[in-house]
Amino acid sequence: MECVFCKIVNGEIPCKKIYEDDNVLVFLDINPYSLGHTLIIPKKHVLDFETIDEELLMNILKVAKNISKLVCDKLGADGYKLIQNNGLAQEVKHFHLHIIPVYNDEKKMSIDEVYKKITE
Ligand code: 5GP
Ligand code: ZN
């Protein structure tokens, strides 16, 4: 299996995990756009917004509501963007929802420090 996010789900590739349940996994983006950039994925391989089933999408959105608040509260973000790319815009061909915090005054912090702040 070549899918990088399936490999993360299977534990073949490590990730900085923030949350998981039976259907959903949440972890920090390896190449963050801003501090606390987070990805929410279904554990089963689904391509995109068109092919994901509605129940799973609703699970992901519920998790997104909780995790966006958690991440932003822990890091003191002033807002956040939810982004979900498809087709040419989508680099990793396994559905994922980005949570991208936005800051009035963004601090410099390593991904390890960000992870510690979110999970402590
Ligand atoms: P896309 O353009 O497909 O919406 O974004 C894919 C995202 O996945 C990018 O922000 C990229 O940094 C992230 N990503 C790609 N490979 C890995 C990985 O192995 N681990 C983690 N944590 N994120 C990854
Ligand atoms: Zn996959």
Side-chain angles (χ1 to χ4, degrees):
M1 198 188 296
E2 286 307 309
C3 174
V4 66
F5 286 177
C6 284
K7 286 184 176 167
I8 287 176
V9 170
N10 296 336
E12 286 172 63
I13 295 177
C15 73
K16 296 226 175 323
K17 180 168 67 182
I18 295 174
Y19 169 85
E20 76 176 313
D21 61 28
D22 288 348
N23 303 307
V24 179
L25 179 65
V26 181
F27 51 94
L28 289 179
D29 195 292
I30 203 168
N31 188 18
Y33 194 81
S34 68
L35 289 184
H37 181 173
T38 297
L39 300 173
I40 306 180
I41 68 169
K43 284 188 170 176
K44 78 169 183 190
H45 184 88
V46 179
L47 173 61
D48 62 7
F49 191 67
E50 193 178 320
T51 51
I52 192 165
D53 72 67
E54 284 184 13
E55 196 183 339
L56 187 51
L57 181 61
M58 288 309 136
N59 285 344
I60 286 169
L61 288 177
K62 253 188 210 166
V63 171
K65 260 186 160 254
N66 294 330
I67 299 295
S68 53
K69 176 159 174 44
L70 173 89
V71 167
C72 290
D73 285 354
K74 294 271 188 176
L75 297 174
D78 301 295
Y80 59 94
K81 302 176 198 180
L82 296 177
I83 292 176
Q84 194 277 313
N85 293 318
N86 299 276
L88 186 60
Q90 182 181 12
E91 185 193 316
V92 176
K93 301 296 185 191
H94 179 134
F95 181 99
H96 51 282
L97 181 64
H98 298 255
I99 299 171
I100 303 180
V102 175
Y103 300 84
N104 183 29
D105 180 22
E106 189 167 352
K107 306 262 179 311
K108 291 252 180 300
M109 226 187 273
S110 72
I111 201 159
D112 285 329
E113 286 173 297
V114 167
Y115 187 59
K116 205 170 153 225
K117 264 190 179 291
I118 292 172
T119 52
E120 71 190 0

